[in-house]
């Protein structure tokens, strides 16, 4: 594949009634820049008896980025946040030293009607010196994210910096996440526009890169400084993400990420003992997996 290092195929798994396509970490590629985990939620139909209900669970050492293409989710967490997310907006939760949260279909959508749900749940590892920071939460409406066009291709900068734009999502290391949609053939040039490692996630459609056709449901991994030209075919929808890799290795166990194995062990113990920060008045609890 010349300048593109590998193709990662989506592997499907079930979480309750929700089908999730797992993209990274992959056995040959644990991270892309600071991005350590990407789940593709749906697309699926929800209602009237099938809804999204992810019970209370913990995180440390990372920031979660939720981005919906269809459908809505209600987020609640242990720092007191309750925030509904709609398509095109960003929920950005910084777990830091420890946070618990739930993700559910909002009550007003549990009305017997069928609707589509489709989105991405993404984890970004924090720099080692910020892993113990206080938890934070930010919601950025779709209208506040930078949007621009190049011919028939439409761009949106979801997080970080790229293409001379900066997202209002408050990140803590050099990274980017860009959404691209095009109705007609389009030649994508990322050299000089993005910094660091690049993951190219094909949501719909297909692309040709370094002479090879790649279909939806795959991620291509590249080092931007030597990437070949990428041809988007008509009606293609991409997410580009990545950034500068950290100098230290990251360990991951369940929902815990850290440069320190000791911090992960402490978090496991705290969750088991229920001394971890919990959501007020939330009775659900996802046990630590064995």
């Amino acid at each position: 594949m010349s300048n593109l290092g590998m193709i990662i195929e989506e592997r499907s798994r079930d979480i309750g009634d929700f089908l999730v396509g797992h993209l990274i970490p992959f056995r040959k590629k644990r991270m892309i820049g600071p991005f350590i985990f990407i789940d593709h939620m749906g697309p699926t139909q929800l209602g009237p008896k099938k809804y999204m209900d992810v019970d209370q669970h913990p995180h440390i050492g990372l920031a979660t980025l939720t981005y919906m293409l269809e459908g809505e989710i209600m987020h609640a967490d242990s720092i007191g946040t309750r925030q509904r997310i709609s398509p095109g907006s960003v929920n950005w939760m910084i777990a830091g030293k420890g946070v618990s949260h739930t993700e559910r279909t909002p009550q007003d959508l549990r009305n017997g009607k069928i609707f589509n749900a489709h989105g991405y749940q993404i984890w970004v590892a924090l720099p080692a010196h910020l892993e113990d920071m206080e938890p934070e939460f930010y919601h950025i409406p779709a209208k506040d994210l930078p949007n621009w066009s190049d011919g028939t291709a439409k761009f949106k900068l979801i997080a970080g910096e790229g293409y001379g734009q900066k997202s209002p999502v408050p990140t803590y290391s050099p990274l980017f996440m860009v959404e691209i949609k095009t109705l007609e053939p389009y030649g994508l040039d990322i050299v000089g526009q993005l910094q660091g490692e690049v993951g190219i996630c094909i949501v719909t459609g297909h692309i040709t890169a370094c002479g090879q056709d790649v279909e939806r449901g795959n991620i291509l991994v590249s080092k931007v400084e030597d990437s070949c030209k990428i041809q988007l075919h008509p009606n293609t929808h991409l997410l580009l993400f990545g950034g500068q890799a950290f100098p230290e290795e990251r360990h991951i166990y369940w929902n815990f990420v850290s440069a320190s194995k000791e911090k992960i062990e402490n978090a496991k113990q705290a969750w088991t003992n229920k001394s971890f920060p919990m959501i007020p008045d939330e009775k659900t609890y996802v046990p630590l997996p064995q």
Side-chain angles (χ1 to χ4, degrees):
M1 280 196 57
S2 139
N3 297 326
L4 287 165
M6 67 179 67
I7 299 174
I8 300 173
E9 295 182 357
E10 188 171 314
R11 291 95 66 206
S12 294
R13 61 189 177 92
D14 286 306
I15 54 168
D17 288 332
F18 219 85
L19 184 66
V20 167
H22 184 57
L23 291 162
I24 61 169
F26 183 64
R27 67 182 185 277
K28 293 182 180 178
K29 187 64 177 171
R30 308 302 295 173
M31 298 176 70
I32 300 174
F35 289 75
I36 195 167
F37 182 87
I38 297 181
D39 264 355
H40 183 193
M41 305 180 290
T44 190
Q45 286 190 330
L46 297 182
K49 296 182 179 179
K50 175 184 173 184
Y51 297 109
M52 183 177 185
D53 281 301
V54 181
D55 290 338
Q56 182 171 221
H57 60 281
H59 291 289
I60 65 164
L62 55 85
T64 64
L65 190 158
T66 305
Y67 190 70
M68 299 300 293
L69 305 174
E70 295 180 275
E72 299 188 341
I73 294 174
M74 179 62 75
H75 163 99
D77 63 39
S78 54
I79 59 175
T81 310
R82 284 190 59 82
Q83 177 62 56
R84 186 178 183 130
I85 184 170
S86 56
S89 300
V90 172
N91 273 6
W92 176 250
M93 181 184 75
I94 299 163
K97 65 183 184 181
V99 73
S100 304
H101 74 133
T102 60
E103 293 164 298
R104 306 190 187 281
T105 298
Q107 282 297 326
D108 60 291
L109 295 183
R110 299 173 187 248
N111 56 10
K113 295 181 180 179
I114 293 174
F115 61 94
N116 291 328
H118 186 197
Y120 287 83
Q121 180 67 257
I122 296 164
W123 298 356
V124 178
L126 291 172
H129 71 283
L130 293 177
E131 286 186 349
D132 292 327
M133 69 181 288
E134 292 293 329
E136 300 175 352
F137 182 90
Y138 300 90
H139 174 78
I140 294 85
K143 64 179 179 61
D144 293 340
L145 297 171
N147 286 267
W148 68 97
S149 297
D150 181 20
T152 62
K154 296 185 181 300
F155 288 70
K156 177 192 284 186
L157 184 62
I158 297 169
E161 297 186 43
Y163 291 89
Q165 306 277 346
K166 184 174 183 179
S167 166
V169 174
T171 56
Y172 288 95
S173 66
L175 61 87
F176 58 84
M177 183 172 170
V178 182
E179 182 176 39
I180 305 173
K181 297 179 181 179
T182 187
L183 299 176
E184 299 178 4
Y186 177 75
L188 177 66
D189 189 0
I190 59 178
V191 175
Q193 305 293 346
L194 304 170
Q195 300 295 320
E197 295 183 320
V198 182
I200 304 168
C201 176
I202 306 170
V203 182
T204 57
H206 68 289
I207 68 175
T208 300
C210 303
Q212 184 165 343
D213 286 337
V214 187
E215 302 289 336
R216 69 178 183 178
N218 292 292
I219 286 180
L220 287 79
V221 181
S222 172
K223 289 185 176 178
V224 71
E225 58 265 23
D226 60 2
S227 179
C228 58
K229 194 84 170 184
I230 301 159
Q231 185 69 32
L232 279 63
H233 294 273
N235 300 307
T236 291
H237 182 183
L238 302 182
L239 293 174
L240 309 182
F241 63 92
Q244 299 295 342
F246 292 129
E248 320 91 352
E249 180 186 3
R250 286 300 182 277
H251 307 287
I252 182 169
Y253 178 89
W254 191 36
N255 302 316
F256 304 135
V257 169
S258 180
S260 163
K261 290 183 178 180
E262 182 182 1
K263 287 181 182 178
I264 289 179
E265 289 302 315
N266 290 341
K268 288 163 63 176
Q269 194 64 43
W271 187 249
T272 301
N273 295 342
K274 298 189 177 180
S275 59
F276 206 90
M278 297 291 195
I279 303 171
D281 303 319
E282 175 62 56
K283 303 303 181 186
T284 64
Y285 172 86
V286 179
L288 188 79
Q290 298 303 313

